[in-house]
């Protein structure tokens, strides 16, 4: 896995004054599943659009299989496949026809078309719908068809822009397994996602992107390990005062404030440290609302660098207020 298939140096992209991609550099190794993890608006789709030659390079340099993205566009295009974030299906065709048509464009043999289309329609659970017109499918079904189409050919490098957005967990897991299968057959995968579980499960290599900049990179393990051992989430009525008290404790590696309260990373095991922390909270008269222990996740990595969570804030607020209700903590959340 040492050969580089995609190389990006100093890539930038502006829409007017908005810097959507701000000087990013990275290499994707042949054979890996590479993920771009970041919230909405981070610059993921813009990056994919540049790397698939849909947007011109404004500044920086990129090569795919050693072909230059500005000078050798058609060679680049022959090496790649793409599943877009937005719908690009032809609504006038049936499910089966749209795959058949795509297979022909890419000169797949009749036998390959037949076996792969059957196989893929079963994976994305559209086999029963194969004679249905695309325009009659639900949103989730269209998404699944789009994924099937992207996986039909076996490009050297396949770009997947938020492949499982909005799908239920069973379908997502099936698609993850299929992505892994395609990857084992030799297709390098470049995936963007704002789901940390997706990046966590699939990726050999993760780059976390926020506001056009890469803020961290590594394997899922190395990123999580970089935060230390267990984490403690502590919600208080006075984060500032609490932070300065906690930062003096020798067991504590770091304290960050986030939308979910204080995130405390530790040098020691959380279960051993908890009694001491509770003692401290009592002695210093800290007004604690909620306290939780958990293993670091990629979301914690994101919070560590940005002070914000990766997931949709609204959704999180709802979850939080229903949790508070369940715990009899009122809050009258709306
Ligand atoms: N066509 C466009 N015109 C102007 N601004 C855009 C356009 N596309 C994206 N942007 C802006 O660029 C930033 C990055 O967007 P995008 O690449 O779509 O992020 P992501 O895919 O990570 O959600 C955002 O601030 C977005 O509003
Ligand atoms: Mg996007």
């Amino acid at each position: 896995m040492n050969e580089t298939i995609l190389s990006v140096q100093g890539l930038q992209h502006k829409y007017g004054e908005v810097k959507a991609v701000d000087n990013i550099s990275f290499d994707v190794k042949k054979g890996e599943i590479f993920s771009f993890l970041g919230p909405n608006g981070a610059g993921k789709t813009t990056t994919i659009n540049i790397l698939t030659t849909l947007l011109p390079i404004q500044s920086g340099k990129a090569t795919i299989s050693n072909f230059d993205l500005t000078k050798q566009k058609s060679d680049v295009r022959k090496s790649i496949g793409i599943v877009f974030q937005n719908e690009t299906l032809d609504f006038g065709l049936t499910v089966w026809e749209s795959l058949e048509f795509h297979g022909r464009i890419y000169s797949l043999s009749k036998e390959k078309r037949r076996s792969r289309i059957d196989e893929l329609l079963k994976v994305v659970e559209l086999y029963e719908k194969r004679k249905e017109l695309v325009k009659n499918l639900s949103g989730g079904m269209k998404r699944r068809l789009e994924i099937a189409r992207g996986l039909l050919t076996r490009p050297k490098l396949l770009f997947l822009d938020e492949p499982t957005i909005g799908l239920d967990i069973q379908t997502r897991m099936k698609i993850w397994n299929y992505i892994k299968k395609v990857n084992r057959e030799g297709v390098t995968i470049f995936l963007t996602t704002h789901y940390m579980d997706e990046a966590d499960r699939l990726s050999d290599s993760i780059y976390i992107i926020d506001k056009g900049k890469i803020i961290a990179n590594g394997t899922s393990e190395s990123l999580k390990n970089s935060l230390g051992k267990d984490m403690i989430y502590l919600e208080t009525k006075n984060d500032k005062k609490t932070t300065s008290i906690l930062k003096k404790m020798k067991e504590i590696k770091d304290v960050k404030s986030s939308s979910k309260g204080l995130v405390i990373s530790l040098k020691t095991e959380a279960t051993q440290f908890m009694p001491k922390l509770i003692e401290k909270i009592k002695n210093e008269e800290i007004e604690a609302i909620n306290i939780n222990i958990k293993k670091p996740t990629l979301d914690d990595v994101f919070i560590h660098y940005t002070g914000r969570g990766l997931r949709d804030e609204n959704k999180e607020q709802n979850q939080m207020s229903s949790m508070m209700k369940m715990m009899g903590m009122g809050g009258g959340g709306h």
Side-chain angles (χ1 to χ4, degrees):
M1 293 236 293
N2 284 321
E3 202 181 319
T4 298
I5 188 161
L6 166 66
S7 174
V8 173
Q9 285 144 33
L11 203 65
Q12 287 197 46
H13 195 90
K14 281 190 187 172
Y15 298 104
E17 286 304 298
V18 179
K19 248 190 200 171
V21 174
D22 191 359
N23 195 13
I24 59 173
S25 301
F26 55 85
D27 280 350
V28 176
K29 303 282 171 221
K30 198 171 168 211
E32 74 176 344
I33 299 182
F34 176 99
S35 291
F36 239 33
L37 175 66
N40 271 334
K44 303 182 297 294
T45 297
T46 303
T47 305
I48 279 204
N49 286 348
I50 297 168
L51 297 179
T52 53
T53 73
L54 297 171
L55 279 176
I57 294 187
Q58 292 177 348
S59 172
K61 191 176 154 54
T63 58
I64 289 178
S65 296
N66 292 323
F67 294 121
D68 187 286
L69 256 84
T70 353
K71 295 177 202 139
Q72 292 161 294
K73 277 202 182 104
S74 68
D75 291 309
V76 166
R77 285 180 187 153
K78 277 180 209 143
S79 318
I80 62 173
I82 176 165
V83 174
F84 294 98
Q85 188 175 353
N86 298 322
E87 275 168 20
T88 55
L89 297 166
D90 186 331
F91 287 16
L93 301 177
T94 66
V95 167
W96 187 84
E97 281 165 353
S98 61
L99 294 178
E100 170 68 11
F101 182 62
H102 191 73
R104 283 187 187 208
I105 290 179
Y106 279 87
S107 324
L108 285 186
S109 68
K110 195 174 173 191
E111 296 74 46
K112 273 212 169 126
R113 289 203 305 271
R114 173 151 306 166
S115 65
R116 279 194 192 157
I117 291 173
D118 277 5
E119 180 190 38
L120 276 161
L121 284 176
K122 283 170 193 160
V123 168
V124 298
E125 293 186 334
L126 286 175
Y127 192 75
E128 306 302 317
K129 298 273 176 191
R130 65 193 181 280
K131 290 173 187 157
E132 192 67 70
L133 284 174
V134 173
K135 66 176 171 208
N136 296 335
L137 300 180
S138 71
M141 288 176 184
K142 284 182 194 144
R143 187 78 205 139
R144 274 141 55 194
L145 177 57
E146 192 123 25
I147 290 167
R149 194 181 58 175
L151 296 173
L152 185 60
T153 57
R154 294 285 191 273
K156 283 189 195 137
L157 176 58
L158 179 64
F159 290 92
L160 299 164
D161 196 3
E162 309 239 17
T164 65
I165 197 164
L167 300 179
D168 65 78
I169 188 67
Q170 277 88 355
T171 313
R172 295 180 66 209
M173 280 162 67
K174 274 197 180 164
I175 290 169
W176 291 340
N177 285 337
Y178 202 75
I179 291 172
K180 279 189 186 159
K181 179 172 180 259
V182 171
N183 175 248
R184 279 196 301 270
E185 287 174 19
V187 178
T188 306
I189 309 279
F190 184 111
L191 161 92
T192 77
T193 185
H194 70 277
Y195 294 122
M196 59 170 177
D197 58 344
E198 188 154 292
D200 207 353
R201 267 167 204 248
L202 287 178
S203 321
D204 297 304
S205 173
I206 299 173
Y207 274 65
I208 300 182
I209 180 167
D210 186 42
K211 294 178 182 162
K213 288 197 166 78
I214 287 158
I215 58 169
N217 73 287
T219 62
S220 171
E221 279 317 298
S222 73
L223 284 165
K224 288 186 279 191
N225 288 341
S226 71
L227 295 194
K229 299 196 170 198
D230 299 335
M231 326 269 299
I232 294 176
Y233 274 82
L234 175 63
E235 263 188 273
T236 75
K237 288 197 174 159
N238 191 340
D239 282 0
K240 223 173 182 176
K241 173 188 146 195
T242 310
T243 303
S244 70
I245 294 168
L246 294 181
K247 278 199 166 162
K248 287 178 200 136
M249 297 182 80
K250 66 176 192 315
E251 297 87 348
I252 288 179
K253 194 172 166 190
D254 199 10
V255 183
K256 294 263 176 186
S257 57
S258 80
S259 51
K260 289 187 256 178
L262 297 176
V263 184
I264 306 166
S265 47
L266 299 174
K267 292 176 194 161
T268 169
E269 299 293 333
T271 43
Q272 285 169 21
F273 176 63
M274 206 54 152
K276 193 170 171 186
L277 179 63
I278 289 168
E279 188 73 19
K280 193 83 177 173
I281 288 172
K282 232 162 70 186
N283 291 343
E284 303 278 351
E285 296 180 344
I286 294 169
E287 286 188 90
I289 301 166
N290 204 345
I291 185 161
N292 272 308
I293 299 180
K294 59 192 209 58
K295 298 261 168 235
T297 63
L298 290 175
D299 202 38
D300 297 316
V301 175
F302 190 79
I303 289 171
H304 177 79
Y305 288 102
T306 65
R308 292 177 288 117
L310 259 170
R311 287 159 294 177
D312 179 24
E313 293 285 328
N314 286 331
K315 217 190 252 164
E316 221 146 63
Q317 226 119 54
N318 290 340
Q319 272 168 5
M320 184 65 97
S321 58
S322 52
M323 220 161 71
M324 306 245 289
K325 260 184 219 145
M326 258 165 51
M327 294 163 75
M329 295 169 91
H334 23 63

